[in-house]
Amino acid sequence: MKAFIEGISNLTLSHVVMFIIGGILIYLAIKKEYEPMLLLPIGFGIVLANIPFSSAIGENGFLTILYNAGIKTELFPILIFIAVGAMIDFSPLLQQPFMIFFGAAAQLGIFLTIIFAYILGFDLKEAASIGIIGAADGPTSIYVANLFAPKLLGPISVAAYSYMALVPIIQPPVIRMLTTKEERKIRMDLRMNKVSKTAKILFPIAVTFVAGVLVPSSVPLVGSLMFGNLIRESGVVERLSKAAQNELANLVTLLLGITIGSTMTADKFLTPTTLLIFGMGLIAFIFDTAGGVLFAKFLNLFLKNKVNPMIGAAGISAFPMSSRVVQKMAQEEDPTNFILMQAAGANVAGQIGSIIAGGIVIALVSSIV
């Protein structure tokens, strides 16, 4: 009873605010089903870390041990990429290879946000870590933030995953602002060439080699993603593929989420810096969407068969939410318009684009600082 009273007496307004933030994330995960596999453990991790004198964190706390073993070593993000690679079917991209350009154009927000963050007073490593929120890829954000700005890992991770969950809310207004009703009605050729098994097997190997030669710092990220995909497409290790898609993905997601939450203690999270990070993250997502749409509109100046510019917005890495958003918007304008496969092609291209962009950021910043 004495310990309980002592604990209550040490509760501060900051602790209460963090409990509310954790509760909001748990609410969004359960009630709204926004990225529940991550927001739920993150929210509960926040609660565990902000209880006064919590033994879950600290020198022998199990959450601190998980942080040192899985995030500080960058193990969890790498394992997540193996699982994600095993889940992804790159056929829509292989059927329409030019979609890779949309995956590149939709990374615009990363580099613009780095510039803005640097202008606002963050050092280059911190600015790079904030900008990478625009990758719309949680593991990449964690990987870069842990490398360059571990003190900002909590808010950067939560911002990245929160905005990924809010893609259906963030993207539509930006797309409507940049396109006309007629552009959103544009139909695209539904004929798709069949992708051979050989092509599916060679693709992850080729991407790893090319990306590794051009951007060596991207090898841990793109290599793990493509290794997972090779396991899937090889057809000879079905048990490994299913284990990566299910047991590995579930276990690492669980540990990653609760560990990220544990980094969000009141003294580190309730600062003006956190608000700036969330603001910059939103800007990054907006510019990602705008970059993809504007690139598609630019291409249409030269193409005979026009591209629905909404496809460009699907070039962010938030898979498959973004492609679903684009398809839904197309059918709001014309219920018979079906562009999901093209959007999915751009969306999986965004998976590759975000990782390579992350590698480029790492290489550039490391060479400067």
Side-chain angles (χ1 to χ4, degrees):
M1 187 66 176
K2 181 180 178 180
F4 176 77
I5 294 173
E6 185 178 355
I8 291 293
S9 66
N10 280 278
L11 275 176
T12 65
L13 179 59
S14 297
H15 290 119
V16 174
V17 170
M18 292 309 299
F19 292 150
I20 292 172
I21 291 173
I24 290 173
L25 294 183
I26 293 171
Y27 170 81
L28 292 175
I30 296 174
K31 185 68 176 179
K32 301 296 183 181
E33 296 187 11
Y34 289 165
E35 291 288 328
M37 291 186 67
L38 277 158
L39 293 191
L40 183 59
I42 288 175
F44 198 72
I46 292 172
V47 174
L48 291 178
N50 285 280
I51 294 174
F53 309 117
S54 172
S55 61
I57 58 175
E59 186 176 353
N60 296 314
F62 83 97
L63 291 175
T64 301
I65 292 172
L66 285 175
Y67 175 84
N68 291 333
I71 293 184
K72 199 170 183 180
T73 63
E74 300 166 354
L75 178 62
F76 286 170
I78 296 299
L79 292 178
I80 281 291
F81 271 119
I82 293 175
V84 170
M87 297 177 191
I88 292 179
D89 181 2
F90 283 108
S91 295
L93 176 59
L94 293 172
Q95 290 170 327
Q96 29 192 0
F98 75 95
M99 290 296 172
I100 195 69
F101 295 110
F102 296 119
Q107 309 308 316
L108 175 67
I110 295 175
F111 300 98
L112 289 180
T113 304
I114 290 174
I115 295 171
F116 290 153
Y118 187 70
I119 291 173
L120 286 174
F122 292 95
D123 66 38
L124 188 57
K125 287 187 175 181
E126 292 173 339
S129 301
I130 294 169
I132 210 65
I133 294 173
D137 186 334
T140 300
S141 299
I142 293 169
Y143 188 92
V144 176
N146 182 63
L147 185 65
F148 286 154
K151 291 182 179 180
L152 302 180
L153 177 63
I156 287 173
S157 303
V158 173
Y161 281 114
S162 297
Y163 288 136
M164 284 172 60
L166 294 174
V167 159
I169 297 173
I170 296 172
Q171 284 202 305
V174 180
I175 294 172
R176 290 192 184 96
M177 183 175 65
L178 296 174
T179 58
T180 65
K181 190 177 183 70
E182 290 69 29
E183 287 175 325
R184 296 193 292 274
K185 286 184 175 181
I186 292 176
R187 293 173 175 268
M188 299 183 67
D189 191 351
L190 295 178
R191 291 174 296 178
M192 297 286 185
N193 297 321
K194 185 177 180 180
V195 180
S196 68
K197 182 176 180 179
T198 301
K200 290 183 178 182
I201 292 174
L202 291 178
F203 180 74
I205 299 172
V207 169
T208 302
F209 180 78
V210 172
V213 170
L214 294 177
V215 189
S217 54
S218 71
V219 171
L221 302 176
V222 73
S224 55
L225 180 76
M226 291 302 155
F227 173 61
N229 189 248
L230 182 60
I231 290 174
R232 171 196 176 99
E233 300 298 351
S234 67
V236 295
V237 284
E238 188 65 21
R239 287 174 59 189
L240 293 182
S241 176
K242 289 183 177 179
Q245 295 177 47
N246 296 292
E247 289 83 2
L248 179 63
N250 293 335
L251 179 60
V252 179
T253 299
L254 172 69
L255 298 178
L256 182 66
I258 198 169
T259 306
I260 289 171
S262 73
T263 67
M264 296 171 58
T265 53
D267 59 319
K268 296 177 182 177
F269 193 80
L270 297 179
T271 66
T273 298
T274 298
L275 294 177
L276 276 176
I277 288 172
F278 271 79
M280 291 288 97
L282 179 58
I283 289 173
F285 268 68
I286 290 173
F287 276 115
D288 280 346
T289 302
V293 172
L294 293 175
F295 179 72
K297 289 168 69 78
F298 174 74
L299 284 184
N300 281 344
L301 297 176
F302 310 97
L303 295 176
K304 182 178 179 181
N305 296 320
K306 305 298 183 183
V307 172
N308 189 314
M310 293 194 296
I311 295 295
I316 69 172
S317 182
F319 180 84
M321 292 87 76
S322 188
S323 53
R324 290 173 180 169
V325 167
V326 167
Q327 172 60 24
K328 182 180 179 182
M329 292 185 68
Q331 292 199 314
E332 285 175 356
E333 303 294 349
D334 178 359
T336 64
N337 193 5
F338 190 81
I339 59 173
L340 182 60
M341 288 304 292
Q342 289 83 359
N347 216 174
V348 295
Q351 286 277 329
I352 299 173
S354 67
I355 293 174
I356 294 177
I360 291 172
V361 168
I362 292 171
L364 289 176
V365 173
S366 298
S367 65
I368 294 172
V369 179

